[in-house]
């Protein structure tokens, strides 16, 4: 359009001044009209051409827009289909995730159950092993079975690496330290001393036999030697008979009357035929203590020794050296048995019971 503007400017330029004439004025007007008409036609053509190009451009844009709209609808349809497919896949994925989560929770519960079962089996196994080792230690009188069982159990707990079994391991360490500082029982020595006491029972003097023994010693001490018998033979017969009568009455009186302190009156009433059963009963008490010592039942052995000590103090002469030695030996045996008890694994068994209960 910028190229077509000069004709308009040229057409609208005023003509050179001339001398106006009637014919020339009408011709100029016609020429001007023709020029204007042509310019209008050219402008209209140009405008029509421009409108045509605009219409074509609009048609192309409309076609493009329609194609784009169709394509957009197709893409929207595809997007909807893809969205529905994605939603379906998402639902399936969520369902699978839920199943996986459920399976994971079930697997975790199963693993925890297996772990608890393994820990419980380990605790039960350790408890049974320690109790068996304790019985072996009581039977043999040695602490080595307990020490070995505690060390093996501690190593098993350390390999298991379970935090809730840590208190059990600490309790085992404390009991192991106490066992290492404990004393070992001299069972053979205690048995030998009990056998000596059993052999000495027959030689122990009874309280009821002290008077008879004193009378016999007195008669043996008053026995006349050969010189006294010869002197008595030189005496007159009536004087010798009077002296013998007096000595007989005196000895009988001394045998009938005896002043002594009696703490247990029933011991003096013991019949001679019952002394045998008394000594055998004392031997049975000592033998029971011996069997209890072999079975490592220290409480029962001390009870039997206490009963034997009570019978010894009640029925046997406390002034006799043999009775005193036997009483001293019984007291020493009781003290040795009390000090030689096998240490108990109370802390370990308490920790095992707590771990088995799941606390």
């Amino acid at each position: 359009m910028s190229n077509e503007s000069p004709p308009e400017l040229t057409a609208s330029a005023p003509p050179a001044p001339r001398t106006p004439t009637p014919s020339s004025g009408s011709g100029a007007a016609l020429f001007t009209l023709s020029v204007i008409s042509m310019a209008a036609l050219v402008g209209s053509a140009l405008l029509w051409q421009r409108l045509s190009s605009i219409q074509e451009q609009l048609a192309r844009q409309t076609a493009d827009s329609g194609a784009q709209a169709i394509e957009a609808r197709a893409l929207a349809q595809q997007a909807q289909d893809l969205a529905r497919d994605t939603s379906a896949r998402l639902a399936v994925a969520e369902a699978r995730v839920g199943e996986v989560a459920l399976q994971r929770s079930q697997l975790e519960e199963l693993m925890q159950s297996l772990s608890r079962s393994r820990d419980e089996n380990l605790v039960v196994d350790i408890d049974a092993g320690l109790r068996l080792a304790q019985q072996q230690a009581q039977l043999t009188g040695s602490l080595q079975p307990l020490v070995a069982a505690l060390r093996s159990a501690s190593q098993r707990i350390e390999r298991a690496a379970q935090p809730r079994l840590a208190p059990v391991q600490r309790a085992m360490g404390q009991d192991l330290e106490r066992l290492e500082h404990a004393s070992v029982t001299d069972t053979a020595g205690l048995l030998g001393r009990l056998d000596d006491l059993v052999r000495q029972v027959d030689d122990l003097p009874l309280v009821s036999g002290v008077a008879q023994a004193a009378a016999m010693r007195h008669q043996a001490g008053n026995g006349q030697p050969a010189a006294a018998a010869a002197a008595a033979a030189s005496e007159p017969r009536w004087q010798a008979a009077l002296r013998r009568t007096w000595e007989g009455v005196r000895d009988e009186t001394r045998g009938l009357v005896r002043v002594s302190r009696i703490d247990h009156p029933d011991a003096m009433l013991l019949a001679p035929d019952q002394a045998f059963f008394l000594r055998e009963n004392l031997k049975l008490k000592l033998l029971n203590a011996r069997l209890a010592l072999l079975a490592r039942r220290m409480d029962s052995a001390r009870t039997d020794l206490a009963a034997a000590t009570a019978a010894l103090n009640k029925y046997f002469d406390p002034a006799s050296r043999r009775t005193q030695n036997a009483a001293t030996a019984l007291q020493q045996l009781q003290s040795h048995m009390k000090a030689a008890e096998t240490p108990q694994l109370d802390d370990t068994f308490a920790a095992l019971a707590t771990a088995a209960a799941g606390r």
Side-chain angles (χ1 to χ4, degrees), residues 130-147 149-150 171-185 296 298-299 302 336-349:
L130 290 178
R131 293 188 185 278
L132 181 59
Q134 189 172 16
Q135 291 178 0
Q136 292 178 353
Q138 290 176 354
L139 291 175
T140 60
S142 175
L143 299 179
Q144 291 303 319
L146 275 179
V147 173
L150 281 175
M172 286 182 180
Q174 296 175 0
D175 288 336
L176 184 60
E177 184 178 359
R178 187 167 62 253
L179 285 177
E180 290 177 350
H181 293 84
S183 59
V184 181
T185 307
R296 311 302 301 173
M298 296 300 177
D299 295 336
R302 287 200 303 269
H336 283 303
M337 288 183 182
K338 185 176 182 180
E341 288 185 349
T342 304
Q344 301 295 323
L345 306 180
D346 296 334
D347 296 340
T348 300
F349 286 135

Side-chain angles (χ1 to χ4, degrees), residues 57 201 249 263 296 324 339 350:
Q57 186 177 1
V201 170
V249 172
D263 296 329
R296 311 302 301 173
Q324 293 176 359

